[in-house]
Coordinates of all heavy atoms in Angstrom, one line a residue:
M368 N 21.3 2.4 6.0 CA 20.0 3.0 6.3 C 19.0 2.8 5.2 O 19.3 2.7 4.0 CB 20.4 4.5 6.3 CG 19.2 5.4 6.6 SD 19.5 7.2 6.8 CE 18.1 8.0 6.4
S369 N 17.8 2.5 5.7 CA 16.8 2.1 4.7 C 16.2 3.3 4.1 O 16.2 4.4 4.5 CB 15.7 1.3 5.5 OG 15.1 2.2 6.5
N370 N 15.7 3.0 2.9 CA 15.1 4.1 2.1 C 13.6 4.0 2.0 O 13.0 4.6 1.1 CB 15.8 4.2 0.7 CG 15.4 3.0 -0.2 OD1 15.1 1.9 0.4 ND2 15.5 3.1 -1.5
Y371 N 13.0 3.3 2.9 CA 11.5 3.3 2.8 C 10.9 3.9 4.1 O 11.6 4.0 5.1 CB 11.0 1.9 2.7 CG 11.4 0.9 3.8 CD1 10.8 0.8 5.0 CD2 12.7 0.2 3.8 CE1 11.1 -0.1 6.1 CE2 13.0 -0.6 4.9 CZ 12.2 -0.7 6.0 OH 12.6 -1.5 7.1
L372 N 9.6 4.1 4.0 CA 8.9 4.7 5.2 C 7.8 3.8 5.6 O 7.6 2.7 4.8 CB 8.3 6.0 4.7 CG 9.2 7.1 4.2 CD1 8.4 8.3 3.6 CD2 10.1 7.6 5.2
D373 N 7.1 3.9 6.6 CA 6.1 3.0 6.9 C 4.9 3.3 6.2 O 4.8 4.3 5.4 CB 5.8 2.9 8.5 CG 5.2 4.1 9.0 OD1 4.5 4.8 8.3 OD2 5.3 4.3 10.2
G374 N 3.8 2.5 6.3 CA 2.7 2.5 5.5 C 1.9 3.8 5.6 O 1.2 4.2 4.6
N375 N 2.1 4.6 6.5 CA 1.5 5.9 6.7 C 1.8 6.9 5.7 O 1.1 7.8 5.4 CB 1.7 6.4 8.1 CG 1.0 5.6 9.3 OD1 -0.2 5.4 9.2 ND2 1.8 5.1 10.2
A376 N 3.0 6.6 5.1 CA 3.4 7.5 4.0 C 2.7 7.4 2.8 O 2.6 8.2 1.9 CB 4.9 7.1 3.7
A377 N 1.8 6.4 2.7 CA 0.9 6.2 1.5 C -0.5 6.9 1.8 O -1.3 6.9 0.8 CB 0.7 4.7 1.1
A378 N -0.6 7.4 2.9 CA -1.9 7.9 3.2 C -2.4 9.0 2.4 O -3.5 9.1 1.9 CB -1.9 8.4 4.7
G379 N -1.5 9.9 1.9 CA -1.9 11.0 1.0 C -2.4 10.5 -0.2 O -3.5 11.0 -0.8
A380 N -1.5 9.6 -0.9 CA -1.9 9.2 -2.3 C -3.2 8.3 -2.2 O -4.0 8.5 -3.1 CB -0.8 8.3 -2.7
L381 N -3.5 7.5 -1.1 CA -4.6 6.8 -1.0 C -5.9 7.6 -0.7 O -7.0 7.3 -1.1 CB -4.4 5.7 0.1 CG -3.4 4.6 -0.4 CD1 -3.1 3.7 0.7 CD2 -3.9 3.8 -1.6
S382 N -5.7 8.6 0.0 CA -6.8 9.5 0.4 C -7.4 10.1 -0.8 O -8.6 10.6 -0.8 CB -6.4 10.5 1.4 OG -5.6 11.6 0.9
E383 N -6.7 10.3 -1.9 CA -7.1 10.9 -3.1 C -8.2 9.9 -3.8 O -9.1 10.2 -4.5 CB -6.1 11.0 -4.2 CG -4.9 11.8 -3.9 CD -5.2 13.4 -3.9 OE1 -5.8 13.7 -4.8 OE2 -4.7 14.1 -2.9
L384 N -8.1 8.6 -3.4 CA -8.9 7.5 -4.1 C -10.0 7.0 -3.1 O -11.1 6.6 -3.6 CB -8.2 6.4 -4.5 CG -7.2 6.6 -5.7 CD1 -6.2 5.5 -5.7 CD2 -7.8 6.8 -6.9
F385 N -9.8 7.0 -1.7 CA -10.6 6.2 -0.9 C -11.2 7.3 0.1 O -10.5 8.0 0.8 CB -10.0 5.1 -0.2 CG -9.5 4.0 -1.2 CD1 -8.3 4.0 -1.7 CD2 -10.4 3.0 -1.6 CE1 -7.9 2.9 -2.6 CE2 -10.1 2.1 -2.6 CZ -8.8 2.0 -3.0
A386 N -12.4 7.0 0.5 CA -12.9 7.8 1.6 C -12.6 7.4 3.0 O -12.7 8.0 3.9 CB -14.6 7.8 1.5
V387 N -12.2 6.2 3.1 CA -11.7 5.6 4.4 C -10.2 5.6 4.5 O -9.5 5.5 3.4 CB -12.2 4.0 4.6 CG1 -13.7 4.2 4.6 CG2 -11.8 3.2 3.6
D388 N -9.7 5.5 5.8 CA -8.3 5.6 5.9 C -7.8 4.2 5.8 O -7.8 3.3 6.7 CB -8.0 6.2 7.3 CG -6.5 6.1 7.5 OD1 -5.7 5.9 6.7 OD2 -6.0 6.4 8.7
L389 N -7.1 3.9 4.6 CA -6.6 2.5 4.5 C -5.4 2.2 5.2 O -5.1 1.0 5.4 CB -6.3 2.3 2.9 CG -7.6 2.2 2.1 CD1 -7.2 1.7 0.7 CD2 -8.6 1.3 2.6
T390 N -4.8 3.1 5.8 CA -3.5 2.8 6.6 C -3.9 2.1 7.8 O -3.0 1.2 8.4 CB -2.7 4.0 6.9 OG1 -3.5 4.9 7.8 CG2 -2.3 4.8 5.9
A391 N -5.2 2.1 8.3 CA -5.6 1.3 9.5 C -6.2 0.0 9.1 O -6.6 -0.7 9.9 CB -6.6 2.2 10.2
A392 N -6.4 -0.2 7.8 CA -6.9 -1.5 7.3 C -6.1 -2.6 7.5 O -4.8 -2.4 7.5 CB -7.3 -1.4 5.8
I393 N -6.5 -3.8 7.7 CA -5.7 -5.1 7.8 C -5.5 -5.5 6.3 O -6.4 -5.6 5.5 CB -6.5 -6.1 8.6 CG1 -6.8 -5.6 9.9 CG2 -5.7 -7.4 8.6 CD1 -5.6 -5.3 10.8
A394 N -4.3 -5.8 6.0 CA -3.9 -6.3 4.7 C -3.3 -7.6 4.7 O -2.4 -7.9 5.5 CB -2.8 -5.2 4.1
Q395 N -3.5 -8.4 3.8 CA -2.9 -9.8 3.6 C -2.1 -9.7 2.3 O -2.6 -9.5 1.3 CB -4.0 -11.0 3.6 CG -3.2 -12.3 3.6 CD -4.1 -13.4 3.7 OE1 -4.9 -13.7 2.9 NE2 -3.9 -14.2 4.7
C396 N -0.9 -10.2 2.6 CA 0.0 -10.3 1.4 C -0.2 -11.5 0.5 O -0.4 -12.6 1.1 CB 1.5 -10.3 2.0 SG 2.7 -10.6 0.8
N397 N -0.2 -11.4 -0.8 CA -0.4 -12.4 -1.7 C 0.9 -13.3 -1.7 O 0.8 -14.4 -2.1 CB -0.6 -11.9 -3.2 CG -1.8 -12.4 -3.7 OD1 -2.5 -13.3 -3.2 ND2 -2.3 -11.7 -4.9
G398 N 2.1 -12.7 -1.4 CA 3.2 -13.4 -1.5 C 3.5 -14.5 -0.4 O 3.8 -15.7 -0.7
C399 N 3.3 -14.1 0.9 CA 3.7 -14.8 2.0 C 2.5 -15.1 2.9 O 2.6 -15.8 3.8 CB 4.9 -14.2 2.7 SG 4.5 -12.8 3.7
G400 N 1.4 -14.4 2.7 CA 0.2 -14.6 3.6 C 0.2 -13.8 4.8 O -0.6 -13.9 5.7
N401 N 1.3 -13.0 5.0 CA 1.5 -12.2 6.2 C 0.2 -11.2 6.3 O -0.2 -10.6 5.3 CB 2.7 -11.4 6.0 CG 3.2 -10.6 7.3 OD1 2.8 -11.0 8.4 ND2 3.7 -9.5 7.2
T402 N -0.3 -11.2 7.4 CA -1.5 -10.3 7.6 C -1.3 -9.3 8.7 O -1.1 -9.6 9.8 CB -2.8 -11.2 8.1 OG1 -2.9 -12.2 7.1 CG2 -4.1 -10.4 8.2
T403 N -1.2 -8.1 8.4 CA -0.8 -7.0 9.2 C -1.6 -5.6 8.9 O -2.2 -5.6 7.9 CB 0.6 -6.6 9.2 OG1 1.0 -6.1 7.8 CG2 1.5 -7.7 9.5
V404 N -1.5 -4.7 9.8 CA -2.1 -3.4 9.5 C -1.2 -2.8 8.3 O 0.0 -2.9 8.3 CB -1.9 -2.5 10.8 CG1 -2.4 -1.1 10.5 CG2 -2.7 -3.1 11.9
F405 N -2.0 -2.3 7.4 CA -1.3 -1.8 6.2 C -0.2 -0.8 6.5 O 0.8 -0.7 5.9 CB -2.3 -1.0 5.3 CG -1.6 -0.6 4.1 CD1 -1.3 -1.3 3.0 CD2 -1.4 0.8 3.9 CE1 -0.6 -0.9 1.9 CE2 -0.7 1.3 2.7 CZ -0.4 0.4 1.7
A406 N -0.4 0.0 7.7 CA 0.6 1.1 8.1 C 2.0 0.5 8.4 O 3.0 1.0 8.4 CB 0.2 1.8 9.3
E407 N 2.0 -1.0 8.6 CA 3.2 -1.6 8.9 C 4.0 -2.1 7.6 O 5.2 -2.7 7.7 CB 3.1 -2.9 9.8 CG 2.5 -2.5 11.1 CD 2.3 -3.6 12.1 OE1 2.6 -4.8 11.7 OE2 1.8 -3.4 13.1
S408 N 3.4 -1.8 6.4 CA 4.2 -2.2 5.2 C 5.3 -1.1 5.0 O 5.4 -0.1 5.6 CB 3.2 -2.1 4.0 OG 2.7 -0.8 3.8
R409 N 6.1 -1.4 4.0 CA 7.3 -0.5 3.7 C 6.9 0.2 2.5 O 6.7 -0.2 1.4 CB 8.7 -1.3 3.5 CG 9.0 -2.0 4.8 CD 10.2 -3.0 4.5 NE 10.7 -3.5 5.7 CZ 11.6 -4.5 5.9 NH1 12.3 -4.9 4.7 NH2 11.9 -4.9 7.0
V410 N 6.9 1.6 2.5 CA 6.5 2.4 1.5 C 7.7 3.1 1.0 O 8.5 3.8 1.6 CB 5.4 3.4 2.0 CG1 5.1 4.5 0.9 CG2 4.1 2.7 2.3
Y411 N 7.9 3.2 -0.4 CA 8.9 3.8 -1.1 C 8.3 4.9 -1.9 O 7.3 4.6 -2.7 CB 9.6 2.9 -2.1 CG 10.2 1.7 -1.3 CD1 9.5 0.6 -0.9 CD2 11.6 1.7 -1.0 CE1 10.2 -0.3 -0.1 CE2 12.3 0.7 -0.3 CZ 11.5 -0.3 0.1 OH 12.1 -1.3 0.8
V412 N 8.7 6.1 -1.6 CA 8.1 7.2 -2.3 C 9.1 7.7 -3.4 O 8.7 8.7 -4.1 CB 7.7 8.4 -1.3 CG1 6.5 7.9 -0.4 CG2 8.9 8.8 -0.5
D413 N 10.2 7.2 -3.5 CA 11.2 7.7 -4.5 C 11.0 6.8 -5.8 O 11.8 7.0 -6.7 CB 12.6 7.7 -4.0 CG 13.0 6.3 -3.5 OD1 12.1 5.4 -3.4 OD2 14.1 6.1 -3.2
A414 N 10.1 5.9 -5.8 CA 9.8 5.1 -7.0 C 9.0 6.0 -8.0 O 8.4 7.1 -7.4 CB 9.2 3.9 -6.7
P415 N 8.7 5.6 -9.2 CA 7.6 6.3 -9.9 C 6.2 6.1 -9.1 O 5.8 5.0 -9.1 CB 7.6 5.7 -11.2 CG 8.9 5.0 -11.4 CD 9.4 4.7 -10.0
G416 N 5.8 7.1 -8.5 CA 4.6 6.9 -7.8 C 4.9 6.5 -6.4 O 6.1 6.7 -5.8
T417 N 3.9 5.8 -5.7 CA 4.1 5.3 -4.3 C 4.0 3.8 -4.3 O 3.0 3.3 -4.9 CB 3.1 6.0 -3.4 OG1 3.2 7.3 -3.3 CG2 3.1 5.4 -2.0
V418 N 5.0 3.1 -3.8 CA 5.0 1.7 -3.8 C 5.0 1.1 -2.3 O 5.9 1.6 -1.6 CB 6.2 1.1 -4.6 CG1 6.4 -0.4 -4.5 CG2 6.2 1.6 -6.1
A419 N 4.2 0.3 -2.0 CA 4.1 -0.3 -0.6 C 4.5 -1.8 -0.9 O 4.0 -2.4 -1.7 CB 2.8 -0.3 0.0
R420 N 5.6 -2.2 0.0 CA 6.0 -3.7 0.0 C 5.7 -4.3 1.4 O 5.8 -3.6 2.3 CB 7.6 -3.6 -0.3 CG 7.8 -3.3 -1.7 CD 9.4 -3.5 -2.0 NE 9.6 -3.2 -3.4 CZ 9.8 -4.2 -4.4 NH1 9.5 -5.4 -3.9 NH2 10.2 -3.9 -5.5
C421 N 5.6 -5.6 1.2 CA 5.4 -6.4 2.4 C 6.6 -6.4 3.3 O 7.7 -6.5 2.7 CB 5.0 -7.9 2.0 SG 4.9 -9.0 3.4
A422 N 6.4 -6.2 4.6 CA 7.6 -6.1 5.5 C 8.2 -7.5 5.7 O 9.3 -7.7 6.1 CB 7.3 -5.5 6.8
G423 N 7.3 -8.6 5.4 CA 7.8 -9.9 5.6 C 8.5 -10.5 4.4 O 9.7 -11.2 4.6
C424 N 8.1 -10.3 3.2 CA 8.8 -11.0 2.0 C 9.1 -10.0 0.9 O 9.5 -10.4 -0.1 CB 7.8 -12.1 1.5 SG 6.4 -11.5 0.5
D425 N 8.8 -8.7 1.1 CA 9.2 -7.7 0.2 C 8.3 -7.6 -1.2 O 8.6 -6.9 -2.2 CB 10.6 -7.8 -0.3 CG 11.3 -6.5 -0.5 OD1 10.8 -5.5 0.2 OD2 12.2 -6.4 -1.4
T426 N 7.3 -8.6 -1.2 CA 6.3 -8.4 -2.4 C 5.6 -7.0 -2.4 O 5.4 -6.4 -1.5 CB 5.2 -9.4 -2.1 OG1 5.7 -10.8 -2.4 CG2 4.0 -9.2 -3.1
V427 N 5.5 -6.6 -3.7 CA 4.8 -5.2 -3.9 C 3.3 -5.5 -3.6 O 2.7 -6.3 -4.2 CB 5.0 -4.7 -5.4 CG1 4.1 -3.4 -5.6 CG2 6.5 -4.5 -5.7
L428 N 2.9 -4.9 -2.6 CA 1.5 -4.9 -2.2 C 0.6 -4.0 -3.0 O -0.5 -4.3 -3.3 CB 1.3 -4.6 -0.8 CG 2.0 -5.4 0.2 CD1 1.9 -4.9 1.6 CD2 1.5 -6.9 0.2
L429 N 1.1 -2.8 -3.3 CA 0.3 -1.7 -3.7 C 1.1 -0.7 -4.4 O 2.2 -0.4 -3.9 CB -0.5 -1.0 -2.6 CG -1.4 0.2 -2.7 CD1 -2.5 0.2 -1.8 CD2 -0.5 1.4 -2.5
R430 N 0.6 -0.2 -5.6 CA 1.3 0.9 -6.3 C 0.2 1.9 -6.6 O -0.8 1.6 -7.1 CB 1.9 0.4 -7.6 CG 3.1 -0.5 -7.3 CD 3.8 -0.9 -8.7 NE 2.8 -1.5 -9.5 CZ 3.0 -1.6 -10.9 NH1 4.1 -1.2 -11.4 NH2 2.2 -2.3 -11.7
V431 N 0.5 3.2 -6.4 CA -0.3 4.3 -6.8 C 0.6 5.3 -7.6 O 1.6 5.7 -7.1 CB -0.9 5.0 -5.5 CG1 -1.8 6.2 -6.0 CG2 -1.5 4.2 -4.7
V432 N 0.2 5.5 -8.8 CA 0.8 6.4 -9.7 C -0.1 7.4 -10.1 O -1.2 7.1 -10.7 CB 1.4 5.7 -10.9 CG1 2.1 6.7 -11.9 CG2 2.5 4.6 -10.4
T433 N 0.1 8.7 -10.1 CA -0.7 9.8 -10.4 C -0.1 10.5 -11.6 O 1.1 10.9 -11.4 CB -1.1 10.8 -9.3 OG1 -1.6 9.9 -8.2 CG2 -2.0 11.8 -9.7
T434 N -0.8 10.6 -12.6 CA -0.4 11.3 -13.8 C -1.2 12.7 -13.9 O -2.1 12.8 -13.1 CB -0.6 10.5 -15.1 OG1 -2.0 10.5 -15.4 CG2 0.0 9.1 -15.0
P435 N -0.8 13.6 -14.7 CA -1.6 14.9 -14.9 C -3.2 14.5 -15.1 O -4.0 15.4 -14.6 CB -1.0 15.6 -16.0 CG 0.4 15.1 -16.0 CD 0.2 13.6 -15.6
T436 N -3.6 13.4 -15.6 CA -4.9 13.2 -16.0 C -5.6 12.0 -15.3 O -6.8 11.9 -15.3 CB -5.1 13.0 -17.6 OG1 -4.3 11.9 -17.9 CG2 -4.9 14.2 -18.3
N437 N -4.7 11.1 -14.6 CA -5.4 9.9 -14.2 C -4.5 9.4 -13.0 O -3.4 9.8 -12.8 CB -5.4 8.7 -15.1 CG -6.3 9.0 -16.3 OD1 -7.5 8.9 -16.2 ND2 -5.7 9.4 -17.5
T438 N -5.2 8.6 -12.2 CA -4.4 7.8 -11.0 C -4.6 6.3 -11.3 O -5.7 5.9 -11.5 CB -5.1 8.2 -9.7 OG1 -4.9 9.6 -9.5 CG2 -4.4 7.5 -8.6
Y439 N -3.5 5.7 -11.3 CA -3.4 4.2 -11.4 C -3.2 3.5 -10.1 O -2.4 4.0 -9.3 CB -2.3 3.8 -12.4 CG -2.3 4.3 -13.8 CD1 -2.0 5.7 -14.1 CD2 -2.8 3.5 -14.8 CE1 -2.2 6.1 -15.4 CE2 -2.9 4.0 -16.1 CZ -2.6 5.2 -16.4 OH -2.8 5.7 -17.7
L440 N -4.0 2.6 -9.8 CA -4.0 1.9 -8.6 C -3.8 0.3 -8.9 O -4.6 -0.3 -9.5 CB -5.2 2.0 -7.7 CG -5.3 1.2 -6.4 CD1 -4.3 1.6 -5.5 CD2 -6.7 1.5 -5.8
D441 N -2.7 -0.3 -8.4 CA -2.4 -1.7 -8.7 C -2.3 -2.3 -7.2 O -1.5 -2.1 -6.4 CB -1.0 -1.8 -9.3 CG -0.6 -3.2 -9.5 OD1 -1.2 -4.1 -9.0 OD2 0.6 -3.4 -10.1
L442 N -3.3 -3.2 -7.1 CA -3.5 -3.9 -5.7 C -3.2 -5.3 -5.9 O -3.6 -6.2 -5.0 CB -5.0 -3.7 -5.3 CG -5.3 -2.3 -5.0 CD1 -6.8 -2.2 -4.7 CD2 -4.6 -1.9 -3.7
R443 N -2.6 -5.8 -6.9 CA -2.4 -7.2 -7.2 C -1.7 -8.0 -6.2 O -1.7 -9.2 -6.1 CB -1.9 -7.5 -8.7 CG -0.4 -7.4 -8.8 CD 0.0 -7.5 -10.2 NE 0.2 -6.3 -10.8 CZ 0.6 -6.1 -12.0 NH1 1.0 -7.1 -12.7 NH2 0.7 -4.8 -12.5
G444 N -0.8 -7.3 -5.4 CA 0.0 -8.0 -4.3 C -0.8 -8.3 -3.1 O -0.3 -8.8 -2.1
L445 N -2.0 -7.7 -3.0 CA -2.8 -7.9 -1.9 C -3.8 -9.0 -2.0 O -4.5 -9.0 -3.0 CB -3.6 -6.6 -1.4 CG -2.7 -5.5 -0.9 CD1 -3.6 -4.3 -0.8 CD2 -2.2 -5.8 0.5
T446 N -4.0 -10.0 -1.1 CA -5.1 -10.9 -1.1 C -6.4 -10.2 -0.7 O -7.4 -10.4 -1.4 CB -4.8 -12.0 -0.2 OG1 -3.6 -12.6 -0.4 CG2 -5.9 -13.1 -0.3
Y447 N -6.3 -9.3 0.2 CA -7.5 -8.6 0.6 C -7.1 -7.5 1.5 O -5.8 -7.4 2.0 CB -8.6 -9.3 1.3 CG -8.2 -9.9 2.7 CD1 -8.1 -9.1 3.8 CD2 -7.8 -11.2 2.8 CE1 -7.7 -9.7 5.1 CE2 -7.3 -11.8 3.9 CZ -7.4 -10.9 5.1 OH -7.0 -11.6 6.3
L448 N -7.9 -6.4 1.6 CA -7.8 -5.4 2.6 C -9.1 -5.4 3.4 O -10.2 -5.6 2.9 CB -7.9 -3.9 2.0 CG -6.5 -3.4 1.3 CD1 -6.7 -2.1 0.5 CD2 -5.6 -3.1 2.5
R449 N -8.9 -5.5 4.7 CA -10.1 -5.5 5.6 C -10.3 -4.2 6.2 O -9.4 -3.8 7.1 CB -9.8 -6.6 6.6 CG -11.2 -6.9 7.5 CD -11.0 -8.2 8.4 NE -10.3 -7.7 9.5 CZ -9.3 -8.5 10.2 NH1 -8.9 -9.6 9.6 NH2 -8.8 -8.1 11.3
V450 N -11.4 -3.6 6.1 CA -11.7 -2.1 6.6 C -12.8 -2.3 7.5 O -13.9 -2.8 7.1 CB -12.0 -1.2 5.4 CG1 -12.2 0.1 5.9 CG2 -10.9 -1.3 4.3
P451 N -12.6 -1.9 8.8 CA -13.8 -2.0 9.7 C -14.9 -1.0 9.3 O -14.6 0.0 8.7 CB -13.1 -1.4 11.0 CG -11.6 -1.4 10.8 CD -11.4 -1.3 9.3
N452 N -16.1 -1.4 9.5 CA -17.3 -0.6 9.2 C -17.2 0.5 10.2 O -17.1 0.2 11.4 CB -18.5 -1.4 9.4 CG -18.6 -2.5 8.3 OD1 -18.0 -2.5 7.2 ND2 -19.3 -3.7 8.6
S453 N -17.6 1.6 9.8 CA -17.7 2.8 10.7 C -19.1 3.0 11.2 O -20.0 2.3 10.9 CB -17.2 4.1 10.1 OG -17.9 4.3 8.9
Ligands
ZN1169 ZN1 4.6 -10.9 2.2

């Protein structure tokens, strides 16, 4: 049994930072070039913070860690996020 959830599980943590819903954004993986809707990534919520991994190659796409005073956002595994204009 897998211990990850789909990308929608990161919606709460990301909504603290972004005014748009990033789970509907198109994301490109830096590791394998896989381009999918962010909601299709694998999200681990039992890590320190929230970790999203590529469903294709397991590269860490995104990490969000919230401390009592700050939120850290690591996007280095993403080539880009494409968000439709509203
Ligand atoms: Zn990948």
Side-chain angles (χ1 to χ4, degrees):
M368 183 172 156
S369 59
N370 63 338
Y371 62 85
L372 305 169
D373 74 23
N375 292 303
L381 292 172
S382 71
E383 304 280 321
L384 293 168
F385 295 99
V387 297
D388 178 11
L389 289 187
T390 62
I393 302 299
Q395 184 172 62
C396 171
N397 234 350
C399 70
N401 191 31
T402 303
T403 60
V404 175
F405 181 78
E407 293 180 7
S408 64
R409 295 176 176 173
V410 170
Y411 298 81
V412 295
D413 55 352
T417 298
V418 175
R420 289 182 175 270
C421 175
C424 74
D425 215 34
T426 288
V427 174
L428 299 174
L429 172 151
R430 295 186 296 161
V431 183
V432 175
T433 302
T434 71
T436 54
N437 295 284
T438 297
Y439 294 80
L440 177 64
D441 175 356
L442 296 170
R443 79 183 95 171
L445 288 169
T446 305
Y447 63 80
L448 275 171
R449 189 174 82 220
V450 181
N452 299 333
S453 52

